[in-house]
Amino acid sequence: MINEAMYGLGDEPSAIRELFAYGLARKAAIGAENVFDFSIGNPSVPAPAVVRDTLVELLDTDPVALHAYSPAAGLPEVRQAVAASIAERYGVQATADQVYLTAGAAAALAASIAAVTEPGDEVVVIAPYFPEYRTWIEAAGCTIVEVPAAQPSFQPDIDALAAAIGPRTSAVIINTPNNPVGAVYTRESLGALADLLRAKEAELGRPLYLISDEPYREITYGIEVPWVPSIYDRTIVCYSYSKALSLPGERIGWVYVSDSADDAQAVAVAVAGAGRALGYVCAPVMLQRVAARCVNEPSDVAAYAENRAILTEGLSALGYEYVKPDGAFYLWVRALEEDAQAFSDRAKQFELLIVPSDSFGVGGWVRLSYCIARDTIERAMPAFKALKESYGE
Ligand code: PLP
């Protein structure tokens, strides 16, 4: 018999992918240059030259060794390179056995959630949040608990989180820099969150894990992204090269389990176990080797910074309200009517593809991905103007 929950997931397209697919069809129908596609987070900056150079070099090595399985957690030398980079960049102790290589942050998150929860537990997320959190939390047999971010900062709302964390809570997921809002959590916010979690652990008599989803860590606009394990011991970092190195289709990332908590070793073992249970073993092996070369490679954020300036200045001039992003490459814009889906649908009439906020767990906003060609953003401005005017504004 077909598993109903799995059928439901397979049958229910994500709002982002649906819009992306609509965009592909529309571009084929009226020409790509006539569609302003702000739907998906596919980086528009090319991967750095070291990626190509490493791949070319790798192709000249012994093919049997090159394409062979790695251990489930990844090649020891690659895990070591990631650990050494973490130790150097964040001034912490880090060893290879705390690192588990995965096919992107998606696999890292699913394994981390499964590792620190039992069916029936609750996992707290801060809304708006990346829609797939729900999928991974529910797949682990847990319940998602949505807590709205503080307004207007979109930092964690400590009082609201305090009210939401209870005897069934096992983990809190944070995402900084944030998709969809672009907020980067400050050291103060993270410190307050850590204080809350420690107090709740004492009150509830159970460990509370902080899963820090960080695929956008390198994409910031002059803002510090604090290293969360240095602030809260029981932290699991989920990282990816998808955005940092513009390799989203190549599927490479990692889980890092902080070693400061009393149960850190057990958590690392459970992450490996969850990876095994989910089939997330031996992450793409050529990309593991590429990642090892790129652990300290800076991200090229200049184009995103420029896009951010053009988009925010253009929308400001038209009177749109938005959250100024400190990181990632998304702009969170207030919809011109309460129903975000209706607003997104109306935007389609002007060939603007913008994602309604509902699937991120809140109503009334839309998300614009600005990791796209600068020219598309510039040429989209008359469409944003016409969209606004269509509301009589
Ligand atoms: N988490 C967030 C917040 C994301 O935006 C994404 C991808 O867009 C992911 C996780 C998954 O990233 P990956 O491509 O590394 O699996």
Side-chain angles (χ1 to χ4, degrees):
M1 193 152 72
I2 291 175
N3 179 292
E4 246 181 71
M6 294 302 143
Y7 182 87
L9 282 174
D11 192 42
E12 167 208 83
S14 91
I16 300 172
R17 294 204 165 269
E18 207 172 38
L19 201 57
F20 180 61
Y22 169 85
L24 291 179
R26 197 71 191 132
K27 284 172 198 172
I30 65 166
E33 69 286 2
N34 297 314
V35 180
F36 309 113
D37 187 352
F38 292 83
S39 66
I40 209 166
N42 236 343
S44 53
V45 168
V50 59
V51 168
R52 181 190 176 280
D53 295 347
T54 308
L55 284 169
V56 169
E57 231 175 84
L58 286 171
L59 290 173
D60 279 335
T61 61
D62 168 26
V64 174
L66 176 63
H67 300 299
Y69 284 122
S70 74
L75 293 163
E77 66 272 23
V78 178
R79 297 168 72 201
Q80 179 52 40
V82 171
S85 162
I86 289 172
E88 186 192 321
R89 291 174 68 181
Y90 309 118
V92 294
Q93 283 242 316
T95 55
D97 56 0
Q98 294 163 259
V99 176
Y100 188 94
L101 300 173
T102 55
L109 285 156
S112 300
I113 293 165
V116 297
T117 57
E118 292 282 357
D121 285 354
E122 291 175 352
V123 177
V124 174
V125 303
I126 298 173
Y129 60 90
F130 185 59
E132 291 304 299
Y133 293 164
R134 171 181 292 280
T135 307
W136 300 321
I137 290 168
E138 292 179 354
C142 300
T143 304
I144 186 168
V145 176
E146 301 175 0
V147 175
Q151 299 284 328
S153 67
F154 285 91
Q155 297 283 316
D157 182 336
I158 302 300
D159 291 340
L161 286 164
I165 294 172
R168 302 182 85 89
T169 309
S170 33
V172 175
I173 302 179
I174 57 171
N175 170 220
T176 169
N178 183 266
N179 172 11
V181 167
V184 176
Y185 291 175
T186 63
R187 194 166 279 284
E188 296 70 46
S189 288
L190 292 166
L193 175 60
D195 287 344
L196 170 68
L197 292 177
R198 283 187 286 264
K200 284 285 180 183
E201 281 192 332
E203 177 195 322
L204 300 167
R206 62 180 294 174
L208 291 171
Y209 298 92
L210 185 55
I211 299 175
S212 188
D213 178 20
E214 304 189 359
Y216 302 96
R217 164 166 282 280
E218 324 299 343
I219 301 179
T220 60
Y221 308 104
I223 293 270
E224 179 206 16
V225 183
W227 180 242
V228 183
S230 298
I231 299 172
Y232 185 67
D233 287 345
R234 239 183 276 284
T235 296
I236 302 170
V237 178
C238 296
Y239 184 86
S240 158
Y241 297 95
S242 292
K243 319 289 173 170
L245 296 180
S246 298
L247 295 172
E250 300 297 350
R251 317 307 301 136
I252 189 73
W254 43 256
V255 179
Y256 168 78
V257 177
S258 163
D259 76 341
S260 6
D262 47 7
D263 61 352
Q265 258 192 323
V267 175
V269 172
V271 167
R276 180 180 175 188
L278 292 163
Y280 300 159
V281 292
C282 178
V285 77
M286 283 221 283
L287 270 293
Q288 290 188 34
R289 295 184 172 99
V290 170
R293 289 274 182 90
C294 296
V295 284
N296 294 321
E297 185 70 22
S299 295
D300 179 3
V301 296
Y304 304 139
E306 204 170 285
N307 285 358
R308 168 179 170 262
I310 294 167
L311 185 59
T312 54
E313 280 161 25
L315 293 187
S316 286
L318 294 172
Y320 280 94
E321 185 191 337
Y322 58 82
V323 180
K324 184 150 193 222
D326 286 327
F329 37 52
Y330 305 103
L331 191 71
W332 194 237
V333 179
R334 180 87 73 183
L336 297 179
E337 59 182 299
E338 250 171 56
D339 183 343
Q341 181 66 56
F343 180 61
S344 166
D345 288 343
R346 185 183 300 203
K348 279 184 189 163
Q349 294 171 18
F350 303 91
E351 310 302 347
L352 283 169
L353 307 187
I354 54 182
V355 181
S357 60
D358 311 85
S359 58
F360 298 99
V362 297
W365 297 76
V366 284
R367 188 197 74 173
L368 279 55
S369 254
Y370 60 81
C371 52
I372 59 174
R374 175 185 161 173
D375 169 63
T376 306
I377 300 176
E378 286 169 342
R379 287 185 304 101
M381 284 306 148
F384 280 112
K385 184 167 188 280
L387 173 62
K388 188 130 198 293
E389 284 168 357
S390 79
Y391 284 90
E393 294 187 24

